[in-house]
Amino acid sequence: MGFAHRHLLGIEQLSQDDIVTLLDLADTYADLNRQPYKHSDALKGLTQINMFFENSTRTQASFEIAGKRLGADVMNMAMQASSIKKGETLIDTAMTLNAMHPDLLVVRHPQSGAVDLLAQKVNCAVLNAGDGRHEHPTQALLDALTIRRAKGRLHRLSIAICGDIAHSRVARSNILLLGKMENRIRLIAPPTLMPSQIGEFGVEVFDDMEKGLRDVDVVMMLRLQKERMDGGFIPSEREYYHRFGLDAQKLSHAAPDAIVMHPGPMNRGVEIDGTLADDINRSVIQDQVEMGVAVRMAAMDLLARNLADSHSDEQELLRWRISPTAFFWRSLTLMLLTMLAWAPALPYFPVTVWALASVLSALFYMWIFEEFQIWYANRKTVWRLTNRALYIDEPNSIEPLQLALTDIEAIGKLSLWSIVLRLPTHQSITLPLVPNVRKTKARIAQAIEAAQ
Ligand code: NCD
C-alpha cells in the first residue's frame, strides 16, 4: 500500500489505507526506539527544518528526536526571535528557507491555514505540527497508535473526547481520524466550549460527564486552551473541574478497562486529577509521548520516499491522465463502433476472432488517444503546473493566470477539449483547454461563492 502524499497537512486528506500504512510503519519504529541502538538511515543526507511560530516543548522535541534517529540534519528555528519580529511576512520567511533547499519543513503556527499556505510556496515536504484551531495531524496519529496498541484495534470503539473542543485542533484531527476508522465518538463539553455545527461530524454531543462517559473504551481529555479564548467561557476553574474535570469517580462510569489520554501539557486539577493522570493502570499519557516519536519518524520517512518523484513539474503533468471511468466508457463506445466497422468481415472470420480484434483495436485507439492528449497538453503549455500552483498562459495576456491550490484543489481530469478542476468546496468546474483568463477567474470565483 502506498502513501501518495507530498505533505502531511491534515487528517482530512488521508484515507483509511493511508492511516493504516502510517501506523504500521510507526509500530516498527516504536520497536526500534526501545532498542539500545535506535538509528536508521531513512533520512540520511536530508535536511529537516523545524519552524515553530508558537511555543512548544514536547512536539518540537519529538520531531527533533524523530529526525535525528532517522539520520537527517535537523535545524530548529526559534521563530519568536526571528525576522518575523522585524516585520517579515510568513511567505518571505518561507521563501528564504526554501532557497536553502530543505527537504522537510515542520511548521507550527497560531493561525489556521497558515501551514497550507506555506506548503504551496516551497519545494519541500511540509508537515503540519499544529495550525491554530485547524489540525494537528501527528497528534491524532500518535493518539491512534496508542489506542491501537492498548486496545488491540482501532475500529468499533466508543471514544469520549472531553473539554475545550471549540478551541482544539487536537479534537478536530481526532474526530476526523477516529471517524474515518469507524469508531463511535462522543464529545463532552459545556455548551460554551462546543462548536455550534458539530452535529455535522457524525458525533454524539453531551454536556454531562456521567452520561457522556457511560461505558466508553477511551477517555480523551483536552487542555483548556486559554490562549485562544477571548472572553469568559467558563465561570471559574474550580467550577469547571467540579463538572468536567476527570477524576476516579467520573471515570467509574466508563468501561472498567477504559484508558485515559491527554495530549499535554496538562493542567492538573483543572481538566484532570493529578493522581489519575499518573495512574499507570489507567493513564496512557506517557505512551502517547513515546508513540509521538514513532509516528513522526513514520510520517517523515513516508514523505521522504515521495520527495524524489515530486521534484519535476513535467512528471506532475504526465500524471494528469484521464479518469478510469472516462477511460472505460470511451473504450466501450470505441469497441462497439469498431465491432460495427468490422461487421462486413463477419462471414469470413469466426465471431471470437472478430470480437477479439475489435477489443484490441479499441484499446489501441484509446492508448494513442491518451498519449495524444498528454503530448498536446505538453506542447501547447496552455496549462502549466509548477510547485503546487497552476498557471494558465494565454497568448493575448501579459500576465498568466495563477491559481494557487487554495482556489483549486486538484486537477480532476484532462481531456483533449477541457480540463476539470476540483474546488476546495468539493465542486468541480470544467473549463475549455484554451481558456479566456478573465472568464476563467470569474467562473471559479462564482462557483466558490455559489457553494458557500
Ligand atoms: C496540543 C497542541 O499544541 O495543540 N499539545 C501538543 O501538541 N503537545 C494540545 C494543547 O496545547 O493543549
Side-chain angles (χ1 to χ4, degrees):
M1 251 176 285
F3 184 86
H5 295 275
R6 187 173 150 82
H7 307 291
L8 179 62
L9 299 175
I11 299 296
E12 199 159 3
Q13 297 87 351
L14 301 186
S15 67
Q16 224 185 51
D17 280 352
D18 291 332
I19 295 168
V20 173
T21 304
L22 205 146
L23 296 185
D24 287 348
L25 182 63
D27 243 335
T28 66
Y29 280 126
D31 295 339
L32 177 75
N33 287 339
R34 289 186 181 178
Q35 306 296 321
Y37 183 83
K38 312 170 175 54
H39 223 268
S40 130
D41 280 339
L43 301 184
K44 194 172 174 202
L46 301 185
T47 305
Q48 172 193 339
I49 301 185
N50 297 335
M51 287 168 87
F52 280 65
F53 294 89
E54 209 184 68
N55 285 335
S56 160
T57 333
R58 77 186 66 209
T59 308
Q60 186 168 345
S62 183
F63 268 110
E64 186 175 350
I65 293 181
K68 286 185 170 160
R69 288 209 178 138
L70 296 180
D73 297 316
V74 186
M75 185 195 147
N76 287 314
M77 299 266 301
M79 297 315 294
Q80 270 90 1
S82 80
S83 33
I84 292 282
K85 283 265 185 294
K86 299 178 191 160
E88 191 177 70
T89 67
L90 173 67
I91 302 303
D92 286 338
T93 312
M95 295 320 285
T96 309
L97 285 180
N98 195 42
M100 298 178 196
H101 298 292
D103 302 285
L104 296 150
L105 209 53
V106 179
V107 189
R108 169 169 285 195
H109 199 280
Q111 238 116 51
S112 308
V115 184
D116 288 44
L117 182 70
L118 205 135
Q120 292 166 25
K121 305 287 172 189
V122 295
N123 296 320
C124 58
V126 175
L127 289 104
N128 183 0
D131 64 326
R133 302 177 190 189
H134 178 224
E135 281 235 39
H136 192 354
T138 55
Q139 179 69 45
L141 287 159
L142 76 88
D143 289 340
L145 186 60
T146 310
I147 297 174
R148 199 171 79 167
R149 285 169 76 105
K151 293 276 156 205
R153 68 180 201 273
L154 189 61
H155 58 273
R156 277 192 269 132
L157 289 166
S158 182
I159 298 166
I161 306 179
C162 325
D164 186 359
I165 316 259
H167 298 101
S168 174
R169 54 195 173 210
V170 175
R172 198 168 182 283
S173 290
N174 262 309
I175 293 168
L176 289 170
L177 191 155
L178 297 168
K180 282 182 193 218
M181 303 309 290
E182 288 155 22
N183 292 286
R184 254 180 86 177
I185 306 170
R186 296 170 166 209
L187 304 182
I188 315 172
T192 46
L193 296 178
M194 187 73 84
S196 47
Q197 303 284 304
I198 199 70
E200 288 168 20
F201 281 82
V203 293
E204 289 172 86
V205 176
F206 295 86
D207 65 356
D208 179 294
M209 285 289 267
E210 286 185 13
K211 285 193 190 124
L213 289 182
R214 193 156 299 149
D215 297 329
V216 298
D217 304 298
V218 177
V219 185
M220 208 179 261
M221 299 308 297
L222 298 171
R223 184 174 65 88
L224 272 185
Q225 316 258 310
K226 286 180 232 156
E227 71 280 17
R228 293 196 197 112
M229 296 182 187
D230 50 6
F233 283 82
I234 53 164
S236 75
E237 287 186 358
R238 254 186 76 179
E239 164 81 9
Y240 181 80
Y241 179 66
H242 175 67
R243 290 200 51 209
F244 294 96
L246 187 70
D247 55 16
Q249 196 274 329
K250 292 193 190 93
L251 184 63
S252 67
H253 295 276
D257 60 349
I259 53 169
V260 174
M261 307 177 75
H262 193 302
M266 263 184 291
N267 294 310
R268 288 168 187 261
V270 179
E271 66 257 353
I272 191 164
D273 167 49
T275 324
L276 183 59
D278 298 331
D279 178 357
I280 51 163
N281 295 317
R282 305 309 294 270
S283 158
V284 292
I285 296 173
Q286 291 309 317
D287 303 274
Q288 287 175 272
V289 180
E290 182 186 350
M291 292 311 128
V293 178
V295 154
R296 286 164 184 135
M297 287 168 87
M300 290 197 289
D301 181 355
L302 288 173
L303 291 181
R305 292 180 201 179
N306 293 341
L307 276 176
D309 45 57
S310 63
H311 278 150
S312 144
D313 295 335
E314 224 159 90
Q315 277 182 7
E316 292 272 7
L317 194 63
L318 288 177
R319 255 187 257 141
W320 301 353
R321 305 209 157 215
I322 57 171
S323 75
T325 353
F327 190 86
F328 172 78
W329 285 114
R330 283 182 203 178
S331 328
L332 199 71
T333 318
L334 261 174
M335 207 168 65
L336 292 174
L337 287 176
T338 327
M339 280 175 157
L340 219 65
W342 283 72
L346 256 180
Y348 309 103
F349 296 100
V351 174
T352 40
V353 173
W354 168 75
L356 198 70
S358 307
V359 171
L360 288 177
S361 40
L363 287 176
F364 181 66
Y365 293 148
M366 283 309 293
W367 178 69
I368 294 189
F369 188 63
E370 200 194 351
E371 289 303 308
F372 178 70
Q373 289 180 57
I374 292 163
W375 169 82
Y376 182 84
N378 273 321
R379 263 302 134 105
K380 299 282 279 189
T381 330
V382 181
W383 302 86
R384 237 168 357 108
L385 186 73
T386 57
N387 199 7
R388 304 271 290 167
L390 180 75
Y391 293 87
I392 308 172
D393 291 322
E394 206 197 28
N396 298 334
S397 73
I398 308 158
E399 285 270 296
L401 165 63
Q402 184 191 339
L403 296 168
L405 292 199
T406 33
D407 298 324
I408 60 158
E409 195 171 70
I411 315 296
K413 265 190 281 179
L414 177 75
S415 80
L416 192 50
W417 305 280
S418 63
I419 184 161
V420 180
L421 307 179
R422 271 206 309 273
L423 304 180
T425 51
H426 303 297
Q427 269 193 325
S428 293
I429 175 166
T430 308
L431 298 169
L433 199 55
V434 182
N436 172 310
V437 174
R438 200 171 41 83
K439 274 193 195 150
T440 306
K441 256 185 179 168
R443 283 190 62 185
I444 290 177
Q446 238 171 28
I448 291 181
E449 209 170 283
Q452 273 160 1

PDB file of all heavy atoms in Angstrom, residues 46-52 73-77 79 96-98 100-107 124-125 127 300:
ATOM      1  N   LEU A  46      19.319  14.225   4.203  1.00  0.00           N
ATOM      2  CA  LEU A  46      18.220  15.188   4.044  1.00  0.00           C
ATOM      3  C   LEU A  46      18.265  16.238   5.166  1.00  0.00           C
ATOM      4  O   LEU A  46      18.766  15.971   6.260  1.00  0.00           O
ATOM      5  CB  LEU A  46      16.862  14.475   4.068  1.00  0.00           C
ATOM      6  CG  LEU A  46      16.634  13.409   2.987  1.00  0.00           C
ATOM      7  CD1 LEU A  46      15.209  12.889   3.059  1.00  0.00           C
ATOM      8  CD2 LEU A  46      16.902  13.963   1.594  1.00  0.00           C
ATOM      9  N   THR A  47      17.723  17.404   4.859  1.00  0.00           N
ATOM     10  CA  THR A  47      17.703  18.488   5.845  1.00  0.00           C
ATOM     11  C   THR A  47      16.273  18.730   6.325  1.00  0.00           C
ATOM     12  O   THR A  47      15.363  18.883   5.514  1.00  0.00           O
ATOM     13  CB  THR A  47      18.235  19.794   5.211  1.00  0.00           C
ATOM     14  OG1 THR A  47      19.524  19.528   4.671  1.00  0.00           O
ATOM     15  CG2 THR A  47      18.330  20.908   6.229  1.00  0.00           C
ATOM     16  N   GLN A  48      16.117  18.716   7.638  1.00  0.00           N
ATOM     17  CA  GLN A  48      14.797  18.966   8.241  1.00  0.00           C
ATOM     18  C   GLN A  48      14.859  20.281   9.018  1.00  0.00           C
ATOM     19  O   GLN A  48      15.746  20.468   9.847  1.00  0.00           O
ATOM     20  CB  GLN A  48      14.469  17.804   9.186  1.00  0.00           C
ATOM     21  CG  GLN A  48      13.225  18.022  10.030  1.00  0.00           C
ATOM     22  CD  GLN A  48      13.125  17.003  11.169  1.00  0.00           C
ATOM     23  OE1 GLN A  48      13.728  15.928  11.118  1.00  0.00           O
ATOM     24  NE2 GLN A  48      12.387  17.357  12.201  1.00  0.00           N
ATOM     25  N   ILE A  49      13.942  21.185   8.726  1.00  0.00           N
ATOM     26  CA  ILE A  49      13.901  22.448   9.487  1.00  0.00           C
ATOM     27  C   ILE A  49      12.599  22.504  10.283  1.00  0.00           C
ATOM     28  O   ILE A  49      11.517  22.285   9.739  1.00  0.00           O
ATOM     29  CB  ILE A  49      14.008  23.684   8.565  1.00  0.00           C
ATOM     30  CG1 ILE A  49      15.317  23.628   7.765  1.00  0.00           C
ATOM     31  CG2 ILE A  49      13.943  24.975   9.370  1.00  0.00           C
ATOM     32  CD1 ILE A  49      15.594  24.854   6.900  1.00  0.00           C
ATOM     33  N   ASN A  50      12.713  22.743  11.572  1.00  0.00           N
ATOM     34  CA  ASN A  50      11.535  22.895  12.431  1.00  0.00           C
ATOM     35  C   ASN A  50      11.269  24.377  12.640  1.00  0.00           C
ATOM     36  O   ASN A  50      12.102  25.085  13.191  1.00  0.00           O
ATOM     37  CB  ASN A  50      11.774  22.242  13.797  1.00  0.00           C
ATOM     38  CG  ASN A  50      11.982  20.751  13.679  1.00  0.00           C
ATOM     39  OD1 ASN A  50      11.532  20.118  12.725  1.00  0.00           O
ATOM     40  ND2 ASN A  50      12.696  20.171  14.641  1.00  0.00           N
ATOM     41  N   MET A  51      10.133  24.838  12.160  1.00  0.00           N
ATOM     42  CA  MET A  51       9.767  26.262  12.328  1.00  0.00           C
ATOM     43  C   MET A  51       8.578  26.336  13.267  1.00  0.00           C
ATOM     44  O   MET A  51       7.457  26.025  12.872  1.00  0.00           O
ATOM     45  CB  MET A  51       9.308  26.853  10.984  1.00  0.00           C
ATOM     46  CG  MET A  51      10.374  27.090   9.977  1.00  0.00           C
ATOM     47  SD  MET A  51       9.554  27.439   8.402  1.00  0.00           S
ATOM     48  CE  MET A  51       9.298  29.179   8.541  1.00  0.00           C
ATOM     49  N   PHE A  52       8.791  26.748  14.483  1.00  0.00           N
ATOM     50  CA  PHE A  52       7.700  26.829  15.445  1.00  0.00           C
ATOM     51  C   PHE A  52       7.400  28.282  15.767  1.00  0.00           C
ATOM     52  O   PHE A  52       8.188  28.944  16.421  1.00  0.00           O
ATOM     53  CB  PHE A  52       8.027  26.009  16.699  1.00  0.00           C
ATOM     54  CG  PHE A  52       7.772  24.540  16.499  1.00  0.00           C
ATOM     55  CD1 PHE A  52       8.507  23.801  15.591  1.00  0.00           C
ATOM     56  CD2 PHE A  52       6.755  23.898  17.197  1.00  0.00           C
ATOM     57  CE1 PHE A  52       8.247  22.452  15.374  1.00  0.00           C
ATOM     58  CE2 PHE A  52       6.484  22.550  16.993  1.00  0.00           C
ATOM     59  CZ  PHE A  52       7.231  21.832  16.079  1.00  0.00           C
ATOM     60  N   ASP A  73      19.719  15.918   8.930  1.00  0.00           N
ATOM     61  CA  ASP A  73      20.337  17.079   9.571  1.00  0.00           C
ATOM     62  C   ASP A  73      19.191  17.951  10.030  1.00  0.00           C
ATOM     63  O   ASP A  73      18.415  18.455   9.212  1.00  0.00           O
ATOM     64  CB  ASP A  73      21.203  17.848   8.570  1.00  0.00           C
ATOM     65  CG  ASP A  73      22.354  16.987   8.091  1.00  0.00           C
ATOM     66  OD1 ASP A  73      22.972  16.314   8.934  1.00  0.00           O
ATOM     67  OD2 ASP A  73      22.608  16.950   6.869  1.00  0.00           O
ATOM     68  N   VAL A  74      19.061  18.129  11.344  1.00  0.00           N
ATOM     69  CA  VAL A  74      17.889  18.824  11.882  1.00  0.00           C
ATOM     70  C   VAL A  74      18.273  20.206  12.389  1.00  0.00           C
ATOM     71  O   VAL A  74      19.274  20.363  13.085  1.00  0.00           O
ATOM     72  CB  VAL A  74      17.252  18.023  13.051  1.00  0.00           C
ATOM     73  CG1 VAL A  74      15.953  18.672  13.499  1.00  0.00           C
ATOM     74  CG2 VAL A  74      17.009  16.585  12.640  1.00  0.00           C
ATOM     75  N   MET A  75      17.473  21.182  12.015  1.00  0.00           N
ATOM     76  CA  MET A  75      17.733  22.535  12.479  1.00  0.00           C
ATOM     77  C   MET A  75      16.453  23.116  13.088  1.00  0.00           C
ATOM     78  O   MET A  75      15.373  22.974  12.514  1.00  0.00           O
ATOM     79  CB  MET A  75      18.142  23.365  11.278  1.00  0.00           C
ATOM     80  CG  MET A  75      18.552  24.741  11.622  1.00  0.00           C
ATOM     81  SD  MET A  75      18.548  25.659  10.093  1.00  0.00           S
ATOM     82  CE  MET A  75      18.080  27.217  10.695  1.00  0.00           C
ATOM     83  N   ASN A  76      16.571  23.715  14.253  1.00  0.00           N
ATOM     84  CA  ASN A  76      15.407  24.343  14.883  1.00  0.00           C
ATOM     85  C   ASN A  76      15.481  25.841  14.693  1.00  0.00           C
ATOM     86  O   ASN A  76      16.493  26.450  14.999  1.00  0.00           O
ATOM     87  CB  ASN A  76      15.393  24.063  16.386  1.00  0.00           C
ATOM     88  CG  ASN A  76      15.013  22.635  16.671  1.00  0.00           C
ATOM     89  OD1 ASN A  76      14.054  22.108  16.106  1.00  0.00           O
ATOM     90  ND2 ASN A  76      15.781  21.979  17.525  1.00  0.00           N
ATOM     91  N   MET A  77      14.414  26.440  14.177  1.00  0.00           N
ATOM     92  CA  MET A  77      14.393  27.894  14.032  1.00  0.00           C
ATOM     93  C   MET A  77      13.553  28.451  15.168  1.00  0.00           C
ATOM     94  O   MET A  77      12.385  28.084  15.300  1.00  0.00           O
ATOM     95  CB  MET A  77      13.700  28.291  12.724  1.00  0.00           C
ATOM     96  CG  MET A  77      14.373  27.778  11.492  1.00  0.00           C
ATOM     97  SD  MET A  77      15.515  28.968  10.816  1.00  0.00           S
ATOM     98  CE  MET A  77      14.467  30.346  10.489  1.00  0.00           C
ATOM     99  N   MET A  79      11.384  30.892  15.965  1.00  0.00           N
ATOM    100  CA  MET A  79      10.677  31.887  15.161  1.00  0.00           C
ATOM    101  C   MET A  79      10.272  33.120  15.963  1.00  0.00           C
ATOM    102  O   MET A  79      10.140  34.189  15.410  1.00  0.00           O
ATOM    103  CB  MET A  79       9.441  31.271  14.496  1.00  0.00           C
ATOM    104  CG  MET A  79       9.754  30.160  13.520  1.00  0.00           C
ATOM    105  SD  MET A  79      11.108  30.481  12.373  1.00  0.00           S
ATOM    106  CE  MET A  79      10.474  31.809  11.395  1.00  0.00           C
ATOM    107  N   THR A  96      12.802  32.382   1.923  1.00  0.00           N
ATOM    108  CA  THR A  96      14.202  32.429   2.337  1.00  0.00           C
ATOM    109  C   THR A  96      14.675  31.025   2.702  1.00  0.00           C
ATOM    110  O   THR A  96      15.732  30.571   2.256  1.00  0.00           O
ATOM    111  CB  THR A  96      14.365  33.371   3.561  1.00  0.00           C
ATOM    112  OG1 THR A  96      13.739  34.598   3.232  1.00  0.00           O
ATOM    113  CG2 THR A  96      15.807  33.581   3.928  1.00  0.00           C
ATOM    114  N   LEU A  97      13.852  30.336   3.487  1.00  0.00           N
ATOM    115  CA  LEU A  97      14.232  28.972   3.881  1.00  0.00           C
ATOM    116  C   LEU A  97      14.267  28.055   2.672  1.00  0.00           C
ATOM    117  O   LEU A  97      15.146  27.204   2.550  1.00  0.00           O
ATOM    118  CB  LEU A  97      13.222  28.424   4.891  1.00  0.00           C
ATOM    119  CG  LEU A  97      13.334  28.989   6.285  1.00  0.00           C
ATOM    120  CD1 LEU A  97      12.274  28.363   7.173  1.00  0.00           C
ATOM    121  CD2 LEU A  97      14.712  28.700   6.861  1.00  0.00           C
ATOM    122  N   ASN A  98      13.326  28.252   1.779  1.00  0.00           N
ATOM    123  CA  ASN A  98      13.241  27.423   0.587  1.00  0.00           C
ATOM    124  C   ASN A  98      14.532  27.480  -0.225  1.00  0.00           C
ATOM    125  O   ASN A  98      14.981  26.483  -0.779  1.00  0.00           O
ATOM    126  CB  ASN A  98      12.052  27.901  -0.258  1.00  0.00           C
ATOM    127  CG  ASN A  98      11.659  26.900  -1.308  1.00  0.00           C
ATOM    128  OD1 ASN A  98      11.627  25.699  -1.025  1.00  0.00           O
ATOM    129  ND2 ASN A  98      11.379  27.360  -2.499  1.00  0.00           N
ATOM    130  N   MET A 100      17.356  27.609   0.848  1.00  0.00           N
ATOM    131  CA  MET A 100      18.407  26.788   1.474  1.00  0.00           C
ATOM    132  C   MET A 100      18.204  25.305   1.174  1.00  0.00           C
ATOM    133  O   MET A 100      18.896  24.466   1.702  1.00  0.00           O
ATOM    134  CB  MET A 100      18.407  27.008   2.985  1.00  0.00           C
ATOM    135  CG  MET A 100      18.708  28.430   3.385  1.00  0.00           C
ATOM    136  SD  MET A 100      18.636  28.585   5.178  1.00  0.00           S
ATOM    137  CE  MET A 100      18.537  30.368   5.340  1.00  0.00           C
ATOM    138  N   HIS A 101      17.205  24.985   0.369  1.00  0.00           N
ATOM    139  CA  HIS A 101      16.897  23.615  -0.053  1.00  0.00           C
ATOM    140  C   HIS A 101      16.693  22.620   1.078  1.00  0.00           C
ATOM    141  O   HIS A 101      17.349  21.591   1.139  1.00  0.00           O
ATOM    142  CB  HIS A 101      17.995  23.092  -1.001  1.00  0.00           C
ATOM    143  CG  HIS A 101      18.098  23.900  -2.247  1.00  0.00           C
ATOM    144  ND1 HIS A 101      17.105  23.917  -3.199  1.00  0.00           N
ATOM    145  CD2 HIS A 101      19.065  24.737  -2.667  1.00  0.00           C
ATOM    146  CE1 HIS A 101      17.465  24.746  -4.160  1.00  0.00           C
ATOM    147  NE2 HIS A 101      18.638  25.263  -3.867  1.00  0.00           N
ATOM    148  N   PRO A 102      15.772  22.918   1.989  1.00  0.00           N
ATOM    149  CA  PRO A 102      15.445  21.872   2.971  1.00  0.00           C
ATOM    150  C   PRO A 102      14.636  20.774   2.271  1.00  0.00           C
ATOM    151  O   PRO A 102      14.114  20.999   1.171  1.00  0.00           O
ATOM    152  CB  PRO A 102      14.573  22.606   3.992  1.00  0.00           C
ATOM    153  CG  PRO A 102      13.937  23.706   3.221  1.00  0.00           C
ATOM    154  CD  PRO A 102      14.889  24.086   2.115  1.00  0.00           C
ATOM    155  N   ASP A 103      14.540  19.617   2.893  1.00  0.00           N
ATOM    156  CA  ASP A 103      13.728  18.538   2.319  1.00  0.00           C
ATOM    157  C   ASP A 103      12.427  18.378   3.093  1.00  0.00           C
ATOM    158  O   ASP A 103      11.412  17.996   2.533  1.00  0.00           O
ATOM    159  CB  ASP A 103      14.518  17.229   2.357  1.00  0.00           C
ATOM    160  CG  ASP A 103      15.817  17.381   1.592  1.00  0.00           C
ATOM    161  OD1 ASP A 103      15.755  17.394   0.365  1.00  0.00           O
ATOM    162  OD2 ASP A 103      16.879  17.553   2.226  1.00  0.00           O
ATOM    163  N   LEU A 104      12.495  18.656   4.391  1.00  0.00           N
ATOM    164  CA  LEU A 104      11.302  18.529   5.230  1.00  0.00           C
ATOM    165  C   LEU A 104      11.165  19.782   6.074  1.00  0.00           C
ATOM    166  O   LEU A 104      12.137  20.228   6.687  1.00  0.00           O
ATOM    167  CB  LEU A 104      11.439  17.325   6.166  1.00  0.00           C
ATOM    168  CG  LEU A 104      11.515  15.961   5.493  1.00  0.00           C
ATOM    169  CD1 LEU A 104      12.346  15.002   6.312  1.00  0.00           C
ATOM    170  CD2 LEU A 104      10.120  15.400   5.281  1.00  0.00           C
ATOM    171  N   LEU A 105       9.980  20.345   6.083  1.00  0.00           N
ATOM    172  CA  LEU A 105       9.728  21.545   6.869  1.00  0.00           C
ATOM    173  C   LEU A 105       8.609  21.213   7.856  1.00  0.00           C
ATOM    174  O   LEU A 105       7.514  20.835   7.436  1.00  0.00           O
ATOM    175  CB  LEU A 105       9.271  22.646   5.907  1.00  0.00           C
ATOM    176  CG  LEU A 105       9.562  24.092   6.241  1.00  0.00           C
ATOM    177  CD1 LEU A 105      11.024  24.320   6.532  1.00  0.00           C
ATOM    178  CD2 LEU A 105       9.140  24.986   5.067  1.00  0.00           C
ATOM    179  N   VAL A 106       8.922  21.331   9.147  1.00  0.00           N
ATOM    180  CA  VAL A 106       7.907  21.050  10.167  1.00  0.00           C
ATOM    181  C   VAL A 106       7.439  22.398  10.701  1.00  0.00           C
ATOM    182  O   VAL A 106       8.250  23.185  11.181  1.00  0.00           O
ATOM    183  CB  VAL A 106       8.513  20.201  11.309  1.00  0.00           C
ATOM    184  CG1 VAL A 106       7.471  19.935  12.379  1.00  0.00           C
ATOM    185  CG2 VAL A 106       9.087  18.903  10.759  1.00  0.00           C
ATOM    186  N   VAL A 107       6.136  22.679  10.573  1.00  0.00           N
ATOM    187  CA  VAL A 107       5.670  24.032  10.902  1.00  0.00           C
ATOM    188  C   VAL A 107       4.534  24.014  11.922  1.00  0.00           C
ATOM    189  O   VAL A 107       3.556  23.276  11.772  1.00  0.00           O
ATOM    190  CB  VAL A 107       5.161  24.763   9.635  1.00  0.00           C
ATOM    191  CG1 VAL A 107       4.895  26.228   9.944  1.00  0.00           C
ATOM    192  CG2 VAL A 107       6.162  24.648   8.501  1.00  0.00           C
ATOM    193  N   CYS A 124       9.694  21.713  -0.743  1.00  0.00           N
ATOM    194  CA  CYS A 124       9.930  20.509   0.045  1.00  0.00           C
ATOM    195  C   CYS A 124       8.627  19.967   0.635  1.00  0.00           C
ATOM    196  O   CYS A 124       7.558  20.529   0.424  1.00  0.00           O
ATOM    197  CB  CYS A 124      10.903  20.840   1.167  1.00  0.00           C
ATOM    198  SG  CYS A 124      10.303  22.146   2.200  1.00  0.00           S
ATOM    199  N   ALA A 125       8.751  18.877   1.375  1.00  0.00           N
ATOM    200  CA  ALA A 125       7.576  18.308   2.049  1.00  0.00           C
ATOM    201  C   ALA A 125       7.310  19.107   3.319  1.00  0.00           C
ATOM    202  O   ALA A 125       8.237  19.443   4.051  1.00  0.00           O
ATOM    203  CB  ALA A 125       7.846  16.853   2.398  1.00  0.00           C
ATOM    204  N   LEU A 127       5.196  19.382   6.979  1.00  0.00           N
ATOM    205  CA  LEU A 127       4.411  18.656   7.988  1.00  0.00           C
ATOM    206  C   LEU A 127       3.772  19.679   8.915  1.00  0.00           C
ATOM    207  O   LEU A 127       4.461  20.561   9.447  1.00  0.00           O
ATOM    208  CB  LEU A 127       5.304  17.729   8.802  1.00  0.00           C
ATOM    209  CG  LEU A 127       5.828  16.520   8.052  1.00  0.00           C
ATOM    210  CD1 LEU A 127       7.275  16.723   7.679  1.00  0.00           C
ATOM    211  CD2 LEU A 127       5.671  15.260   8.880  1.00  0.00           C
ATOM    212  N   MET A 300       7.684  11.225   8.456  1.00  0.00           N
ATOM    213  CA  MET A 300       8.779  11.850   7.699  1.00  0.00           C
ATOM    214  C   MET A 300       9.397  10.849   6.734  1.00  0.00           C
ATOM    215  O   MET A 300       9.770  11.203   5.618  1.00  0.00           O
ATOM    216  CB  MET A 300       9.813  12.429   8.657  1.00  0.00           C
ATOM    217  CG  MET A 300       9.241  13.647   9.378  1.00  0.00           C
ATOM    218  SD  MET A 300      10.473  14.687  10.154  1.00  0.00           S
ATOM    219  CE  MET A 300      10.978  13.664  11.500  1.00  0.00           C
TER     220      MET A 300
END
